[in-house]
Amino acid sequence: VRAAVATALRKSDAAAAAETLLDLAADRDPTVQGAALASLAARPLDDAGLTALGRLVTDGRLFDANADALVTLLTRYPASPIPRQIFALMLARGPLRSELEARLRTLLE
């Protein structure tokens, strides 16, 4: 049900929808987290939203299965320093699949 909510919120422009999606991105179910990240990728995020996504990594709540989706979402914000900080943190926390590690290293160059 929570994954369906995350998918449905993709179409909402309400500020409360973004907050709910950020909450769902921290869900303990990887399917819910993935749906929330996909929906967040379809909407603009401010620095507070990007920072909230960074907490997924710092708090160890990002599922390995959703790491690529998070990186793809964050690459939409090249003007912000926050994605680079998150990428560096992901590398530091490791271990990562070799493809993801290479992608992060390239993004940090």
Side-chain angles (χ1 to χ4, degrees):
V1 172
R2 293 184 318 279
V5 168
T7 300
L9 287 174
R10 175 183 297 197
K11 298 175 184 176
S12 174
D13 292 331
E19 293 173 27
T20 301
L21 286 168
L22 288 166
D23 288 342
L24 290 170
D27 199 276
R28 294 182 180 184
D29 181 327
T31 303
V32 174
Q33 183 180 76
L37 291 172
S39 291
L40 286 166
R43 62 184 319 115
L45 293 173
D46 59 13
D47 283 350
L50 296 174
T51 299
L53 292 174
R55 281 194 294 274
L56 294 176
V57 178
T58 57
D59 295 347
R61 292 182 290 160
L62 178 66
F63 289 96
D64 292 343
N66 294 322
D68 287 306
L70 177 63
V71 172
T72 298
L73 185 161
L74 293 173
T75 59
R76 296 179 46 230
Y77 301 93
S80 173
I82 297 169
R84 291 181 57 82
Q85 295 166 357
I86 296 169
F87 299 156
L89 181 59
M90 289 174 77
L91 281 171
R93 290 185 65 93
L96 299 169
R97 288 180 300 98
S98 58
E99 297 87 2
L100 180 58
E101 182 176 340
R103 182 178 181 199
L104 289 171
R105 291 190 187 286
T106 299
L107 289 166
L108 288 170
E109 289 178 351

